[in-house]
Amino acid sequence: MISNAMRDQLASGSLIRKMFEEGSRLKKLYGEENVFDFSIGNPDLEPPREVFDALADLAENPTPGMHGYMSNNGYESTRRVIADRMSVKSGLRISPDAVCMTVGAAAAMNDVLHSITDPGDEIIVLAPYFMEYNGYIANHNGKVVIVDTDKRFNPSVDKIREAVTPRTKAIIINSPNNPSGVIYPASFLKELNTMLNSMDHVIHVISDEPYIDLAYDGIKVPCTLQHIDNLIICFSWSKSLSLPGERIGYTLVSPLHEDYKELTAAIVISNRSLGSVNAPAIWQKVIERAIDAKVDVANYQHRRDLLYSNIIDAGFNAIKPCGALYIFMNTPQGMSDEEFSAACASHKLLLVSGAAFAKPGYARLAFCVSEQTIINSRKAFFAVAKDLGISHKTEL
Ligand SMILES: Cc1ncc(COP(=O)(O)O)c(C=O)c1O
């Protein structure tokens, strides 16, 4: 018999799973190339050369004990490289002890939530948001409090303030955002910090930053460390270096955090007690050597442009994302998410309903799929629009 909490999680995870299963079914039936599957955010670019060079070097020149246990926060040499890089970026002096190496951003979030959450504590999230947060928060008996964003997916500090109660423990922000691709401006971060600092208890800002290196059109993503004091960053190289299967990331507590000492110690203990023990040893060493490498962001930007044109030219609406790997398009007025998904699926166009991100009325499409798939999908967008009586903006 599974727990009641797990039963709830099984039910809420079913939307993306359903899409995934539908994708596999259609691909078997019609062939990979004839199904336009935009449902999964799995980066398809290969990791950069520096990653393979570092791996080869480590395999050829092993050092004694390199596969052994280590401190639960990871190798000091790796944490130093990260701390130095983040010091330069932020202008703050960041110690390697601020950093704890983790098994990706998901484990980083769990380590942080475990360290700060008492049963019933409230964690604010900004819709649309990555729904895995629900599971992470439930793992530590917290309560999700959803605050909506505006039509351009920008959050309002006033709305966040209205949601704060004496039980508010943290707010999770994610910019560039999954699913909207929006980058929160520095003015928002500053205003949020001022508001939170005016409260009579500490409210942590957990900044989930796996997409921080994926920004387009020359836009610079504001550095959260420069604007927020009680900040804990959760980062991973899942997207920046296309390494989601390798599970490598970190937490970083701002030196300006009021609870810096206790919090950094608590996160390390959580990393151990939640079962990661430490992040993969070899990948810490790879990161140390390849810290400045990046995937081909221009390639993602090109594919974003192609997919965005398909959507707009066919007659649909969407805000052009500035970062991350997704377009969060509007579903046509008067249609439910399910009806729109079904209309798309009938032309083998697969996407994820906005409801899976606590924002019905939208659908998420991941553009980390081959350029050819995006080009081939154009006719499907036009066909769906035609079925729904939507006039095209340009010719096919
Ligand atoms: C917003 C967001 N946070 C966290 C994660 C988890 O990342 P990781 O693979 O590093 O655990 C993802 C993965 O897609 C994500 O989109």
Side-chain angles (χ1 to χ4, degrees):
M1 199 57 171
I2 64 170
S3 67
N4 292 333
M6 265 322 295
R7 193 159 290 116
D8 289 348
Q9 285 192 38
L10 273 178
S12 65
S14 67
L15 268 176
I16 293 182
R17 212 176 41 244
K18 233 170 89 186
M19 248 324 138
F20 183 75
E21 282 160 11
E22 176 66 355
S24 308
R25 190 185 70 82
L26 290 175
K27 282 174 200 164
K28 262 192 217 134
L29 220 56
Y30 301 104
E32 287 276 327
E33 68 289 357
N34 298 316
V35 178
F36 313 115
D37 188 353
F38 297 108
S39 63
I40 307 288
N42 199 3
D44 67 321
L45 293 181
E46 285 305 311
R49 184 73 253 155
E50 293 92 323
V51 168
F52 296 109
D53 290 347
L55 263 181
D57 182 42
L58 287 159
E60 275 164 29
N61 306 296
T63 50
M66 80 182 224
H67 301 293
Y69 284 123
M70 71 200 72
S71 314
N72 297 117
N73 52 355
Y75 287 123
E76 192 189 340
S77 52
T78 308
R79 291 184 287 110
R80 183 169 297 283
V81 165
I82 294 165
D84 288 351
R85 192 169 188 255
M86 294 305 277
S87 299
V88 171
K89 194 173 167 192
S90 65
L92 298 174
R93 184 180 293 197
I94 293 167
S95 146
D97 294 338
V99 179
C100 176
M101 302 306 296
T102 63
V103 180
M109 301 278 294
N110 273 283
D111 287 350
V112 170
L113 288 163
H114 190 65
S115 302
I116 63 171
T117 314
D118 286 309
D121 277 350
E122 293 166 8
I123 312 290
I124 295 177
V125 295
L126 304 172
Y129 68 97
F130 180 53
M131 281 284 233
E132 293 294 302
Y133 296 160
N134 288 358
Y136 305 162
I137 293 167
N139 285 343
H140 313 292
N141 300 310
K143 189 176 151 216
V144 178
V145 175
I146 302 175
V147 173
D148 206 0
T149 55
D150 68 14
K151 280 197 161 58
R152 301 196 67 81
F153 311 117
N154 278 313
S156 136
V157 171
D158 286 340
K159 277 200 174 162
I160 297 168
R161 186 193 289 109
E162 282 165 22
V164 169
T165 75
R167 293 306 306 266
T168 306
K169 213 34 163 323
I171 169 166
I172 298 175
I173 58 172
N174 168 228
S175 160
N177 180 264
N178 174 8
S180 71
V182 160
I183 294 174
Y184 298 157
S187 54
F188 164 72
L189 301 176
K190 275 186 205 153
E191 207 190 321
L192 177 68
N193 191 49
T194 307
M195 186 275 280
L196 294 176
N197 285 350
S198 73
M199 295 292 148
D200 54 13
H201 69 286
V202 169
I203 300 176
H204 309 270
V205 177
I206 304 171
S207 182
D208 180 28
E209 305 189 353
Y211 300 97
I212 199 98
D213 294 321
L214 303 185
Y216 310 120
D217 310 319
I219 294 175
K220 275 194 82 173
V221 184
C223 173
T224 45
L225 280 162
Q226 288 175 341
H227 303 296
I228 291 174
D229 301 327
N230 289 326
L231 174 76
I232 313 161
I233 290 175
C234 295
F235 175 79
S236 84
W237 284 276
S238 294
K239 321 286 162 160
S240 301
L241 292 181
S242 278
L243 294 172
E246 302 301 351
R247 315 304 305 139
I248 182 78
Y250 64 75
T251 59
L252 190 157
V253 181
S254 167
L256 305 178
H257 199 299
E258 274 181 61
D259 301 334
Y260 175 85
K261 238 179 146 184
E262 268 198 318
L263 196 51
T264 47
I267 289 171
V268 180
I269 293 174
S270 297
N271 202 35
R272 182 172 74 216
S273 66
L274 292 179
S276 299
V277 181
N278 55 251
I282 197 118
W283 286 101
Q284 294 189 47
K285 292 289 180 192
V286 170
I287 292 301
E288 205 176 304
R289 287 164 165 77
I291 187 97
D292 292 320
K294 277 209 183 95
V295 287
D296 185 0
V297 176
N299 184 326
Y300 280 139
Q301 180 174 316
H302 173 62
R303 290 193 256 164
R304 174 207 59 174
D305 291 343
L306 283 176
L307 183 59
Y308 185 71
S309 299
N310 286 352
I311 293 168
I312 299 301
D313 293 351
F316 299 105
N317 292 319
I319 289 172
K320 196 172 194 176
C322 305
L325 295 171
Y326 317 99
I327 296 177
F328 204 45
M329 67 178 286
N330 300 65
T331 53
Q333 282 210 331
M335 266 189 119
S336 71
D337 284 12
E338 290 72 25
E339 285 164 344
F340 184 61
S341 285
C344 290
S346 71
H347 291 280
K348 304 185 200 72
L349 197 58
L350 305 183
L351 30 75
V352 183
S353 296
F357 306 93
K359 194 86 171 167
Y362 297 86
R364 190 195 77 171
L365 297 97
F367 51 82
C368 43
V369 298
S370 78
E371 183 175 337
Q372 203 53 52
T373 301
I374 300 176
I375 292 169
N376 294 349
S377 71
R378 190 171 168 86
K379 57 182 186 305
F381 285 98
F382 277 70
V384 175
K386 191 166 173 233
D387 283 358
L388 303 180
I390 293 169
S391 337
H392 308 322
K393 199 158 167 231
T394 64
E395 288 306 303
L396 180 62

